[in-house]
Amino acid sequence: VWQWKDDSLRLEQKESYIRLFEPWGWVIGTGLYIHDVIEETARLKNKLLIFSFVIFGAVTFLLLIIIRAGLKVEMKRSQAEDLLLESTKRYKTLVDAATEGMILVRSRTKLGYANPTALELIGVSSDGVSLLELNDILPSIPENRIINDTLKSIDKTLPAESFSCLIKRNDGSLIECAITLQSTGGQSADGFLILLRRTSAQNMVSNQTSGILAKLLKLPSAIAQDIREEISNAGTKEEITALCLSAPALVQSLLDNGASSLEIARMLSSVTDAATKRLISLYEKENGTSPLPFAFVALGSQGRLEQTLFTDQDNAIIIASTENAELAESANRYCSSLASFVCAALIDSGYRRCKGAVMADNQQWCRPINSWKETFSDWILRADVKELMEFSIFFDFRTVYGDNALSYTLREHIHYRAKHAARFLPQMAQNALLFKSPIRLFGMVVTPQNKGDNTRLLDLKAASMPFTGFARLYALQNGFTETHTIDRVTELTRQGVLLPSKLEEFATAYTLLLRLRLRHQASIMQAGGTPDNQVNFASLGHIEQAVLRECFSEIDILQARIRRDFFGGE
């Protein structure tokens, strides 16, 4: 017990320590009041309690936010399921009401769903159709030899023509029918649709009615076919322009009715192809044919059959090479004049001029095949940023009109050069990794700020480029000739480079991203504006935001695969 500091009237407990320093005869001591220890311990305890409550409160708050967001997403998902169910019911009503019979075939031989018209034709109930196999209704008789041989030999694609055959009813009688095979939209022909109708006089239906069901099953392709036929019969440039300008107006309706975004993009691209072909035909009719064979090729998104409503022209001309200088000069003049006519007409038809002048009317991209080979060899050898960008645009080329052998020869040259250029593929792989996912901590999406104002816009085209870049990179590595992104990845799956589950994830993410682009562009056009690829992420609904997050997650997985395959995971 010791005096409390300078207060002689107060005594407190004190822990002391003293020691004698003998050489000097000094006693040295120090001490600590127990009261001070108790107070300091209490202060530390209070601070720990406060920090613990703050951390607990923060964690609880974050958990509540996550739970609330999860509940919102679940509610939106439930609403989307209800809408999908309603849409499915409407579609089933249309199928049931069709005058054309439809039978779903699973695993090539098993019969699944059949609409009422088909049930009446084969004479079974809806419950009994699942007990039948394909050979039960298509017996092996001479009249059915062609259709049976066709069904045995189909691989991934189905024949477009119709077949006349005899259908065996449940009571054993035979009726004469016309059969058409349709894809169910999958990646193989293991599951497909049989469309059938009686060809006897009392049950004959008009050609217009018989095609309704086929158009319902693949509406964008049917619409594209109608427009292409009208374009191919157009007599003037003005008629072609009017037909091209009518195509974008159909996109919103197709999206609202659940049409595939990939099929819509194919439709838009095929309309551009048809317009280009017809314009070249009109030019040749007026000016004669070229002195040398040539190939008018589509590049970029048109080359991949993935055009959207916000697209510009990317095209070029490959001319056959010759040692006859006069003939070569004449062919060059002809193709330059042709390119000017076609590109100008396409601009009038709504296809904007390319900002980088990657168009056939630019003399730089209208030249002999030997010159094209030198250019691609130079791009592959240099493999710098500018060369890689131009290579990526031009590599997705596809013949629209003319001699396809020129395109095939050029592509063979590209694959050969790329295979023997050690640094080219790694440079392309590095280029495919340039896109950085905007997902941050806790799933937040941070997009760059717009220069014009304070809004933060997400470029949907830039977000889709990692998918096309991935497919292009592995197409180069494996020597594929396909240009469509999904076709390239499907071929990777067929060769065992990717698992089928990865193909489904890739296709789903890419299709959803393309659908967001088309819907965004269509809504702008409906409002009278000019479509673009810039979307305000904060203005999107929870479902669309969730879709984009999943797309970004898939991009991270694809880029991780590229790092592993080309850089050892670094």
Side-chain angles (χ1 to χ4, degrees):
V1 178
W2 200 260
Q3 173 182 311
W4 174 260
K5 299 179 182 179
D6 296 332
D7 189 352
S8 59
L9 299 179
R10 180 181 173 185
L11 300 177
E12 289 287 345
Q13 292 184 11
K14 189 175 185 181
E15 186 76 20
S16 299
Y17 177 81
I18 60 174
R19 186 171 182 179
L20 171 66
F21 187 64
E22 292 184 355
W24 292 359
W26 284 14
V27 175
I28 302 172
T30 184
L32 183 67
Y33 287 104
I34 302 301
H35 184 272
D36 289 343
V37 175
I38 294 172
E39 284 189 345
E40 184 66 21
T41 304
R43 282 196 296 271
L44 289 173
K45 183 178 179 181
N46 290 334
K47 286 183 179 180
L48 286 174
L49 286 173
I50 291 172
F51 282 128
S52 297
F53 279 118
V54 170
I55 292 172
F56 177 77
V59 171
T60 303
F61 179 70
L62 289 175
L63 286 174
L64 289 174
I65 291 177
I66 293 172
I67 292 171
R68 181 172 177 270
L71 289 173
K72 283 189 175 181
V73 170
E74 183 62 25
M75 290 176 61
K76 293 289 185 180
R77 185 190 65 81
S78 179
Q79 293 173 2
E81 286 182 350
D82 292 340
L83 290 173
L84 179 61
L85 181 61
E86 183 182 350
S87 176
T88 303
K89 288 180 179 178
R90 288 200 304 265
Y91 182 76
K92 187 175 182 299
T93 302
L94 287 172
V95 173
D96 288 346
T99 57
E100 194 170 25
M102 184 190 78
I103 301 175
L104 173 64
V105 179
R106 299 190 180 97
S107 303
R108 290 183 180 253
T109 59
K110 303 288 186 181
L111 299 191
Y113 169 81
N115 71 344
T117 304
L119 293 174
E120 183 181 354
L121 285 174
I122 61 178
V124 297
S125 65
S126 58
D127 295 329
V129 70
S130 60
L131 302 177
L132 299 178
E133 293 192 354
L134 199 53
N135 56 9
D136 291 327
I137 64 170
L138 286 172
S140 298
I141 55 179
E143 290 83 352
N144 293 345
R145 182 179 57 82
I146 296 177
I147 181 63
N148 284 329
D149 290 345
T150 301
L151 290 169
K152 290 177 183 177
S153 62
I154 57 175
D155 183 13
K156 290 193 300 182
T157 57
L158 297 169
E161 67 270 18
S162 296
F163 300 89
S164 180
C165 61
L166 293 179
I167 294 292
K168 182 179 180 181
R169 289 173 54 83
N170 195 39
D171 58 8
S173 60
L174 298 175
I175 58 173
E176 186 178 355
C177 289
I179 282 183
T180 305
L181 305 179
Q182 285 280 341
S183 170
T184 59
Q187 300 299 330
S188 71
D190 289 345
F192 56 91
L193 297 170
I194 292 180
L195 307 181
L196 68 160
R197 65 181 185 275
R198 293 192 68 169
T199 54
S200 57
Q202 65 270 24
N203 289 290
M204 185 68 70
V205 292
S206 67
N207 291 333
Q208 181 179 4
T209 305
S210 65
I212 290 176
L213 187 54
K215 291 192 175 185
L216 283 172
L217 296 170
K218 213 167 186 180
L219 192 56
S221 298
I223 293 174
Q225 182 178 354
D226 291 341
I227 298 177
R228 287 198 304 267
E229 289 178 357
E230 291 188 54
I231 289 175
S232 63
N233 295 324
T236 64
K237 181 178 69 173
E238 289 71 23
E239 290 180 33
I240 298 172
T241 297
L243 289 166
C244 289
L245 293 175
S246 69
L250 300 168
V251 172
Q252 183 66 58
S253 177
L254 291 171
L255 288 169
D256 291 340
N257 285 279
S260 166
S261 55
L262 291 176
E263 291 298 327
I264 294 174
R266 283 183 186 270
M267 180 202 78
L268 293 172
S269 303
S270 66
V271 170
T272 310
D273 288 357
T276 304
K277 290 177 184 178
R278 186 55 182 161
L279 288 169
I280 295 175
S281 297
L282 291 177
Y283 184 88
E284 288 181 337
K285 184 178 180 181
E286 184 72 23
N287 300 279
T289 58
S290 171
L292 288 173
F294 71 93
F296 195 102
V297 296
L299 313 171
S301 59
Q302 185 187 353
R304 296 191 303 272
L305 292 169
E306 296 167 1
Q307 278 189 306
T308 64
L309 294 173
F310 183 64
T311 185
D312 53 11
Q313 291 188 55
D314 288 316
N315 45 51
I317 293 180
I318 306 170
I319 309 171
S321 294
T322 179
E323 295 181 358
N324 187 325
E326 183 178 348
L327 187 60
E329 179 62 27
S330 175
N332 187 65
R333 285 197 304 270
Y334 179 93
C335 290
S336 296
S337 176
L338 167 69
S340 298
F341 172 79
V342 172
C343 292
L346 288 175
I347 291 173
D348 294 338
S349 302
Y351 301 100
R352 298 175 299 113
R353 174 171 287 277
C354 176
K355 291 182 179 180
V358 182
M359 293 169 60
D361 63 357
N362 181 350
Q363 189 60 44
Q364 186 180 3
W365 312 126
C366 176
R367 45 187 165 148
I369 187 171
N370 288 343
S371 177
W372 277 108
K373 289 180 177 180
E374 292 174 2
T375 299
F376 272 101
S377 297
D378 186 57
W379 286 340
I380 293 170
L381 181 64
R382 292 176 181 273
D384 292 328
V385 175
K386 182 176 181 295
E387 283 76 14
L388 289 175
M389 182 182 68
E390 291 181 329
F391 181 92
S392 297
I393 296 172
F394 281 85
F395 178 68
D396 296 333
F397 65 88
R398 176 178 55 83
T399 302
V400 174
Y401 185 94
D403 189 357
N404 190 48
L406 293 170
S407 298
Y408 180 80
T409 302
L410 181 58
R411 195 172 295 281
E412 277 194 326
H413 171 80
I414 295 168
H415 283 299
Y416 176 81
R417 288 296 185 186
K419 184 178 180 181
H420 292 84
R423 64 186 292 263
F424 176 68
L425 283 179
Q427 288 294 97
M428 283 289 291
Q430 191 65 47
N431 199 49
L433 298 174
L434 292 178
F435 180 84
K436 303 300 180 184
S437 174
I439 297 181
R440 299 296 183 264
L441 191 64
F442 302 119
M444 293 180 59
V445 174
V446 179
T447 53
Q449 185 170 318
N450 188 25
K451 295 179 181 180
D453 49 43
N454 294 325
T455 58
R456 291 185 173 273
L457 300 178
L458 177 67
D459 190 335
L460 293 176
K461 181 180 179 180
S464 67
M465 293 310 292
F467 293 94
T468 57
F470 178 90
R472 183 186 300 117
L473 174 63
Y474 284 88
L476 266 169
Q477 185 187 44
N478 294 276
F480 297 162
T481 58
E482 290 84 355
T483 59
H484 192 278
T485 299
I486 300 300
D487 290 345
R488 285 170 168 172
V489 181
T490 301
E491 186 64 20
L492 284 173
T493 305
R494 194 183 68 82
Q495 295 193 12
V497 180
L498 290 179
L499 294 173
S501 58
K502 177 51 63 180
L503 168 62
E504 293 298 327
E505 292 170 1
F506 182 101
T508 299
Y510 185 66
T511 303
L512 290 172
L513 195 56
L514 181 59
R515 188 174 189 82
L516 281 177
R517 286 178 66 189
L518 288 169
R519 187 169 288 282
H520 169 70
Q521 294 167 3
S523 63
I524 293 178
M525 291 187 69
Q526 274 194 324
T530 302
D532 57 35
N533 291 304
Q534 307 291 326
V535 63
N536 186 351
F537 183 83
S539 67
L540 298 175
H542 290 288
I543 295 295
E544 291 175 321
Q545 290 183 359
V547 166
L548 281 174
R549 287 191 180 93
E550 290 301 319
C551 291
F552 296 143
S553 298
E554 182 63 22
I555 290 172
D556 291 339
I557 295 172
L558 296 176
Q559 291 182 339
R561 172 68 185 263
I562 293 173
R563 293 188 187 95
R564 184 172 70 252
D565 289 350
F566 291 90
F567 306 107
E570 296 296 330

